[in-house]
Amino acid sequence: MIEIVCVIFVSFFMLNWGTLFTGLVMVTFLGLMQMNMSFPLVIDTVFSGSIFSSVLVFLTCLLCLLSLMCTPEEKSSWTYMMCLTSLLLVLVLAFSTSNLMMFYIFFEASLVPTLMLIIGWGYQPERLQAGTYMMLYTVGASLPLLALLIWHCSIISSTEVFLLHLASPLFSGVCGLVLFMAFLVKLPMYGVHLWLPKAHVEAPLAGSMILAGILLKLGGYGMMQMIYCFNLALDSYSTLMICLSMWGGFLATMMCLQQVDVKSLVAYSSVGHMSIVAAGFLMDTSWGVMSAMITMVAHGFSSSAMFCLAYFSYKKSHTRNIPYMKGMLQLYPILSMFWFMFCCINMACPPTLNLMGEMMIIGPLWSYNFLLVSCMGLMIFFSAAYNMYLYSCVNHGSSSNYLLSGHPMKGYSMIGLVSHLLPLVLILKSSLFLFYNFLVS
């Protein structure tokens, strides 16, 4: 972990496109090596490393590298590269720290470079409003969490994750709701999700890739940390949040069928997928937690790729309006092939990580409440429906009269999409997620 942080620091102080790209390649390989060498749980005075945090660090490094690769037109912008590098550093430290207060600081600090990306390189005049929504929702929900953390850590006289786990009593009730709320907004759970579609629509490509691929995962990782640190128990409040999450995910998948902006559709699909993550962590069973972890990693790659496809299609059609983008198959068949593959992955076709994550949640939901299983079945059905709708509307039919001339797909575009595709199709080290059995045994 120290090696990764050092390479990021060196890249930060030597900011040009070539140096930063080389540094991100090195960081990604270091993250891959750490992911394969990790033990179930390693803790020291600065960093804590589990297999899951190592996977998230690797996901962070890879997606930052791909976001830099897919936006070569920004290679002359020093501030753009500074925002990207600082966001990478903050996220790696957030996934790696063994201090709970430092995790909270890095959790909140990740909003600053994200806000700078949205405001500085967003597409629409409403990007200031989108940034305001994001800050108000996430910071407002996390202030009660900060008060509770300060109060409890002062009683225990420690902020170390492992010591809090040993010394904390069993938490439940309103305290559990306060601990979870900041991270449910970050995921986000349906009902507190309104900031996400607006932020995605206004954000540039790198902002959308990192926001969907990594920043939403901070919510799931934070929920897991709270369960471990505070020994949270399942109670009536957790039951209410599980029901709201699953039925909210179903409503989000239904709303995908109403969207005409392709980025807004992908953003609402993220709300649906993250509902599975929230329910898996809240049920706190081994299968539920493993399902949440696998879904987080699978969604990180698939949603980032979908935003890449939306951006590449926008560069060719000069619109994000789905009815005006039709007929891509006639004009750009390679791009349509990638649309087909990633729409299949997004609807959890075999053999992908997405399917594994969705299937593993069925058992815990069945033992919990049969109505939640029926809700999950409806989510799976309508997930296939909106992905088929998206693919057919964008790629089939006669080409729109509003389409302007565009260029064929560049080499960096295809490399970026294939780099998203391989971990999903090859089922990236799925045995890594079984480490939770070691922790609960």
Side-chain angles (χ1 to χ4, degrees):
M1 189 60 62
I2 296 175
E3 294 87 350
I4 294 176
V5 174
C6 290
V7 173
I8 297 173
F9 265 118
V10 172
S11 301
F12 185 82
F13 290 111
M14 299 175 62
L15 275 180
N16 60 69
W17 195 89
T19 304
L20 182 56
F21 184 82
T22 305
L24 289 179
V25 170
M26 293 175 60
V27 165
T28 303
F29 277 108
L30 286 172
L32 183 62
M33 291 170 59
Q34 178 191 334
M35 183 180 70
N36 283 277
M37 293 188 300
S38 291
F39 295 98
L41 187 63
V42 178
I43 297 177
D44 59 26
T45 56
V46 179
F47 297 113
S48 67
S50 65
I51 294 176
F52 183 51
S53 66
S54 300
V55 172
L56 289 178
V57 168
F58 170 70
L59 176 68
T60 302
C61 299
L62 181 58
L63 289 185
C64 287
L65 171 64
L66 294 178
S67 63
L68 183 71
M69 181 192 302
C70 293
T71 53
E73 60 271 11
E74 302 292 346
K75 63 170 60 179
S76 60
S77 176
W78 184 86
T79 52
Y80 178 84
M81 292 185 287
M82 183 189 68
C83 289
L84 203 59
T85 311
S86 58
L87 185 55
L88 171 62
L89 179 63
V90 168
L91 289 169
V92 168
L93 290 173
F95 289 130
S96 309
T97 184
S98 62
N99 189 301
L100 193 60
M101 292 305 299
M102 293 305 296
F103 169 74
Y104 179 85
I105 291 171
F106 293 132
F107 174 80
E108 294 297 330
S110 64
L111 293 172
V112 177
T114 308
L115 182 65
M116 292 176 65
L117 282 172
I118 293 175
I119 293 176
W121 290 270
Y123 300 116
Q124 307 287 343
E126 291 84 2
R127 57 184 182 269
L128 287 172
Q129 184 185 18
T132 304
Y133 266 50
M134 182 181 71
M135 296 296 289
L136 287 177
Y137 269 86
T138 54
V139 175
S142 61
L143 287 177
L145 171 66
L146 176 62
L148 185 57
L149 290 182
I150 293 173
W151 169 74
H152 185 65
C153 291
S154 63
I155 293 175
I156 303 297
S157 301
S158 175
T159 56
E160 294 297 317
V161 170
F162 189 63
L163 292 177
L164 287 170
H165 170 68
L166 294 177
S168 296
L170 196 67
F171 269 68
S172 60
V174 178
C175 289
L177 182 63
V178 171
L179 288 171
F180 280 138
M181 186 49 63
F183 304 109
L184 290 174
V185 171
K186 190 76 170 181
L187 273 172
M189 185 178 74
Y190 187 86
V192 287
H193 70 286
L194 295 178
W195 64 272
L196 183 68
K198 185 171 284 291
H200 273 308
V201 167
E202 309 300 332
L205 174 61
S208 293
M209 290 175 67
I210 295 174
L211 182 61
I214 309 166
L215 287 175
L216 301 189
K217 313 306 175 285
L218 271 177
Y221 183 76
M223 290 180 69
M224 190 178 71
Q225 288 286 76
M226 294 303 108
I227 292 171
Y228 180 75
C229 292
F230 293 91
N231 303 308
L232 289 166
L234 189 66
D235 58 2
S236 57
Y237 289 96
S238 300
T239 303
L240 176 63
M241 286 187 286
I242 291 169
C243 295
L244 288 176
S245 178
M246 292 304 299
W247 286 105
F250 167 63
L251 292 176
T253 57
M254 293 290 290
M255 291 183 69
C256 289
L257 295 170
Q258 299 179 333
Q259 304 305 312
V260 293
D261 189 309
V262 63
K263 290 187 75 173
S264 181
L265 190 151
V266 179
Y268 274 103
S269 74
S270 296
V271 178
H273 286 110
M274 289 299 103
S275 66
I276 300 173
V277 174
F281 281 125
L282 288 168
M283 286 187 289
D284 198 22
T285 62
S286 58
W287 280 71
V289 172
M290 283 189 287
S291 170
M293 293 173 180
I294 294 171
T295 303
M296 282 171 63
V297 176
H299 177 265
F301 286 111
S302 60
S303 64
S304 175
M306 295 289 281
F307 282 113
C308 280
L309 287 169
Y311 175 75
F312 297 148
S313 300
Y314 171 77
K315 295 291 284 185
K316 293 170 178 20
S317 63
H318 307 282
T319 181
R320 291 199 310 265
N321 199 302
I322 293 175
Y324 293 161
M325 295 172 68
K326 63 181 182 178
M328 285 283 182
L329 184 59
Q330 297 178 0
L331 304 175
Y332 306 103
I334 297 178
L335 184 62
S336 295
M337 180 190 68
F338 281 112
W339 268 115
F340 175 77
M341 288 190 291
F342 281 108
C343 284
C344 289
I345 289 170
N346 203 40
M347 71 171 73
C349 287
T352 61
L353 277 177
N354 303 63
L355 178 68
M356 182 184 295
E358 291 188 6
M359 290 299 102
M360 291 183 77
I361 197 70
I362 299 296
L365 289 176
W366 189 284
S367 62
Y368 198 76
N369 193 314
F370 177 75
L371 290 176
L372 295 180
V373 179
S374 61
C375 177
M376 183 66 194
L378 290 172
M379 283 179 59
I380 293 173
F381 175 80
F382 283 104
S383 174
Y386 72 71
N387 279 287
M388 291 173 64
Y389 160 76
L390 175 62
Y391 171 75
S392 59
C393 287
V394 170
N395 296 281
H396 286 265
S398 58
S399 59
S400 173
N401 295 327
Y402 297 96
L403 284 180
L404 302 176
S405 60
H407 299 284
M409 285 193 71
K410 305 290 186 182
Y412 69 84
S413 305
M414 289 186 278
I415 292 173
L417 291 171
V418 170
S419 300
H420 284 96
L421 180 66
L422 290 179
L424 293 167
V425 174
L426 299 179
I427 309 185
L428 171 71
K429 197 73 172 176
S430 57
S431 60
L432 287 172
F433 301 100
L434 302 178
F435 86 98
Y436 188 74
N437 287 331
F438 293 104
L439 299 181
V440 298
S441 60

